[in-house]
Amino acid sequence: MKLTTAQALVRWLLAQRSETLDGREVPLFPGVFAIFGHGNVLGLGTALEEHRDELPLWRGQTEQGMALAAVGYAKATHRRQVGVVTSSIGPGALNMVTAAGVAHANRLPILLLPGDTFTSRAPDPVLQQVEHFGDPTATVNDAFRPVSRYFDRIVRPEQLLSTLPQVARVLTDPADAGPVTLALPQDVQAETYDFPDALFAPVTHRPPRPRPDRRTLTEAAGALRASRKPLLVLGGGVRYSGAGERALAFAERHGIPITETTAGRTLVPHGHPLHAGPLGVTGSTSANVLAAEADVVLAVGTRLQDFTTASWTVFSPDVRLITLNAARFDAVKHGALAVVSDADAGLTDLAAQLESWQVDPLWTERAAAERGRWDAHIDVLRGAAGEVPTYAQVVGAVNDLSEPHDYVMTASGGMPGELIGGWRGSGSISMDVEYGFSCMGYELAGAWGAAMAHTGGLVTTMLGDGSYLMLNSELFSAAFAGHPFVAVVCDNDGFAVIARLQEGQGGKPFNNFLADCRSAHATPPRVDFARHAESLGCAVFTASTVDDVRAAYAKAREAAVAESRPAVVVVRTQPDSWTEAGAWWEVGVPEHLSGREGFEENKTTQVRYLKGRI
């Protein structure tokens, strides 16, 4: 079949299918995000136009925003579908590097197709080309290498035959999932080749479910049987495996208390008697108390990031760590007993080894008791008196009015701690807190992608004024395309959570709150977020009290669905009231600051290498 490189690539995209967690067959690549320029408009752009009815094309306003939308889409589909993003060469391509970092840190699949300079070099230097004096093969797209799981530059059409199977492997593999970058020189996009018909035969991708090594599994079962106070930590890998019910049944069978990581949040119904709450800095004191006493920790589908482990101070130095993970890279960390396996398959096999083993009921009962104390604390925060709402009160209002299958998300600032620590979920997978890269601006762009994918309930994204100002243009993209969601914008006059970190360690207020930033005006201008969001095509509602937030959010929900566009709730919030889990987070503290004493004290409790093997 004689096709251009771009045509062949698009036909291959259309032929790829994927199996969802509930067994449905769907397109692996459900759509493409694009801003055309001279690097892709005639090659890839022409090929996409030929299939516009089969492969939806969404026009964003920034390449970073589009790529972040693709990340949000992948998360909302539990990594079973992949967004494709194309750009021109130069700045259009480099705008996507941040989003590639988000996808890489969070182990989420996206396919990036940046245009590239001419392989012939006949017209060099072309518009937007960066020339490297000592290496004519280097282009700006080489910046994607550190943030790509797989990178290739297609300099001959026939290279697609060998690289496309690898693209599919990385995008659908539980252990390797992440961003793939195919740099497409604009002359090569237009070159033709006789491609074999078999390249375009439909293929359905079903992620493999590797089972654990039997000897390692036996050792893990032995460690659990010998434990008195085991703890089960559930991460994002449980979500992507579809192993939430399996994990809950495993815990119920053996009486093991459960905690969740950031990526594993809402896997367990909040009120379940074994649910101890979320773990770590942005988690709950209830989970952290149990973690400090646990003698064996079984961590499933998590890389145990520093916010989850409180920079490795949340566990006892004597704890034994068992990690069950699809990626050996993650499983072997920290001296753990590494069980390399799919989460669902691994828990099934481990339960068979444990048979009727049961934990001491007194330890089992601790989960509900400790979480009850944390719930009472959150109730106090939600009910606090004050004229200006707190983040906890805004989250409480949204939580109370949300439906079981709604989807809530955030990424940066103070909101992750409020959602992770304070949200009460029903057990459906209903939360996306992008705290692997903590990318400001993901909240709005990612919500656009999530709204495309999560059709069973309403998407609500929660963010601060700093994140809104960082990247808001995809509000217009979502309004234009007709993808509804609600954005709750909390305005507290700047980067309040970073100011808390700065001043809490003894630093002086500087460059975080707007009042502490350099300005030429005695009374600096304020952003009218409501009018700005309205100008981008959104329905807008404002609130100044907690009751106002409830009323505004209820109206926003109705408007978003009825009008098929984003609805924005703008509320002024307190800048210095937060949900605290009482855990430590390591940051560099200079010796002359007051926080240095606490830094040195906490360093003495930091565990560097745990005793996983027995």
Side-chain angles (χ1 to χ4, degrees):
M1 189 179 295
K2 194 176 186 67
L3 299 169
T4 67
T5 303
Q7 287 175 321
L9 177 56
V10 171
R11 286 184 181 236
W12 179 83
L13 294 175
L14 286 166
Q16 308 309 301
R17 310 288 292 174
S18 177
E19 187 176 86
T20 65
L21 290 177
D22 58 4
R24 292 179 296 112
E25 188 175 292
V26 295
L28 178 61
F29 303 103
V32 179
F33 298 88
I35 296 175
F36 292 140
H38 71 87
N40 62 356
V41 66
L42 296 178
L44 191 56
T46 299
L48 288 168
E49 189 277 332
E50 294 171 352
H51 296 277
R52 61 190 306 167
D53 295 333
E54 304 162 80
L55 190 61
L57 184 70
W58 305 108
R59 218 296 297 276
Q61 312 313 309
T62 71
E63 292 84 0
Q64 179 181 336
M66 295 188 307
L68 289 175
V71 175
Y73 195 104
K75 183 68 174 284
T77 61
H78 316 305
R79 300 199 306 202
R80 298 306 173 104
Q81 290 185 283
V82 180
V84 183
V85 193
T86 181
S87 75
S88 66
I89 65 175
L94 287 182
N95 279 347
M96 299 193 296
V97 171
T98 296
V102 173
H104 198 287
N106 290 282
R107 317 294 171 84
L108 291 169
I110 59 172
L111 177 57
L112 302 174
L113 303 175
D116 213 328
T117 53
F118 286 80
T119 57
S120 70
R121 304 182 192 167
D124 286 7
V126 299
L127 178 68
Q128 298 183 332
Q129 181 175 350
V130 174
E131 295 181 278
H132 295 262
F133 295 176
D135 184 1
T137 68
T139 78
V140 296
N141 286 337
D142 289 289
F144 284 99
R145 292 181 184 272
V147 287
S148 296
R149 287 282 189 203
Y150 186 84
F151 177 94
D152 197 3
R153 179 176 284 112
I154 304 302
V155 298
R156 294 286 303 164
E158 57 266 37
Q159 287 178 342
L160 290 181
L161 300 176
S162 61
T163 204
L164 291 179
Q166 300 301 328
V167 169
R169 172 187 64 83
V170 173
L171 293 175
T172 62
D173 190 277
D176 288 348
V180 169
T181 302
L182 292 185
L184 301 174
Q186 56 183 308
D187 53 346
V188 177
Q189 289 183 41
E191 290 182 10
T192 57
Y193 180 75
D194 288 323
F195 289 93
D197 292 345
L199 180 64
F200 312 116
V203 177
T204 300
H205 299 275
R206 299 176 178 87
R209 292 188 178 277
R211 306 200 84 89
D213 172 75
R214 301 300 297 177
R215 289 175 298 181
T216 307
L217 192 71
T218 299
E219 190 174 353
L224 283 168
R225 281 200 201 90
S227 68
R228 294 178 56 252
K229 296 181 177 182
L231 187 66
L232 181 60
V233 180
L234 304 182
V238 177
R239 168 180 182 163
Y240 303 134
S241 171
E245 292 184 3
R246 180 81 62 192
L248 194 57
F250 177 87
E252 291 170 344
R253 178 177 179 178
H254 304 295
I256 306 176
I258 311 168
T259 69
E260 299 167 316
T261 72
T262 298
R265 263 314 252 126
T266 68
L267 280 165
V268 182
H270 177 78
H272 194 283
L274 290 175
H275 187 217
L279 185 65
V281 178
T282 50
S284 59
T285 56
S286 53
N288 294 342
V289 164
L290 265 69
E293 295 184 28
D295 56 359
V296 171
V297 169
L298 173 59
V300 184
T302 173
R303 60 195 179 114
L304 295 173
Q305 184 224 28
D306 66 338
F307 264 77
T308 297
T309 64
S311 297
W312 290 97
T313 62
V314 76
F315 300 124
S316 162
D318 297 321
V319 73
R320 296 192 183 278
L321 178 62
I322 305 169
T323 53
L324 196 162
N325 207 299
R328 181 174 294 276
F329 177 88
D330 294 317
V332 302
K333 293 176 179 177
H334 313 295
L337 172 57
V339 180
V340 181
S341 169
D342 166 73
D344 190 83
L347 288 172
T348 298
D349 290 354
L350 186 56
Q353 289 255 355
L354 291 171
E355 298 177 335
S356 60
W357 168 76
Q358 282 281 321
V359 175
D360 184 340
L362 291 178
W363 175 246
T364 300
E365 293 164 6
R366 283 286 301 280
E370 293 294 342
R371 200 202 66 250
R373 295 185 184 94
W374 177 252
D375 287 349
H377 172 65
I378 296 298
D379 288 340
V380 170
L381 295 181
R382 290 184 175 186
E387 295 183 2
V388 180
T390 65
Y391 268 31
Q393 290 172 323
V394 174
V395 168
V398 172
N399 199 168
D400 290 343
L401 293 171
S402 293
E403 299 292 334
H405 294 289
D406 286 350
Y407 193 81
V408 66
M409 55 193 301
T410 192
S412 61
M415 192 57 73
E418 306 299 322
L419 275 185
I420 298 167
W423 190 265
R424 295 168 179 174
S426 62
S428 63
I429 304 172
S430 58
M431 183 179 289
D432 173 10
V433 177
E434 193 289 285
Y435 225 40
F437 217 52
S438 188
C439 180
M440 296 180 69
Y442 174 79
E443 296 94 336
L444 294 176
W448 179 27
M452 293 182 186
H454 189 80
T455 56
L458 184 65
V459 172
T460 294
T461 185
M462 306 187 71
L463 65 156
D465 51 310
S467 282
Y468 183 96
L469 290 174
M470 187 74 73
L471 186 63
N472 52 59
S473 56
E474 304 317 327
L475 280 172
F476 175 72
S477 302
F480 184 88
H483 294 119
F485 61 86
V486 177
V488 180
V489 181
C490 297
D491 180 6
N492 56 19
D493 277 334
F495 303 143
V497 75
I498 299 299
R500 173 182 62 159
L501 173 64
Q502 183 182 60
E503 297 174 47
Q505 299 298 322
K508 296 180 180 179
F510 180 65
N511 207 46
N512 285 312
F513 283 121
L514 296 178
D516 301 321
C517 299
R518 183 187 295 273
S519 175
H521 306 280
T523 305
R526 286 192 56 82
V527 177
D528 189 331
F529 294 101
R531 291 180 64 187
H532 184 269
E534 186 176 22
S535 74
L536 292 176
C538 302
V540 176
F541 304 88
T542 59
S544 57
T545 68
V546 177
D547 287 341
D548 288 346
V549 172
R550 292 179 180 275
Y553 180 65
K555 292 177 182 177
R557 290 177 60 90
E558 294 177 1
V561 174
E563 301 170 22
S564 294
R565 59 173 175 156
V568 178
V569 176
V570 179
V571 55
R572 291 278 289 165
T573 51
Q574 291 187 25
D576 53 6
S577 179
W578 309 99
T579 299
E580 303 274 7
W584 181 63
W585 182 42
E586 181 174 358
V587 294
V589 182
E591 290 188 0
H592 68 278
L593 295 184
S594 60
R596 181 69 185 190
E597 182 179 351
F599 170 87
E600 293 178 349
E601 180 180 346
N602 281 294
K603 285 292 287 183
T604 63
T605 67
Q606 192 173 45
V607 179
R608 297 299 304 278
Y609 204 81
L610 297 172
K611 295 179 290 186
R613 307 195 73 88
I614 58 175

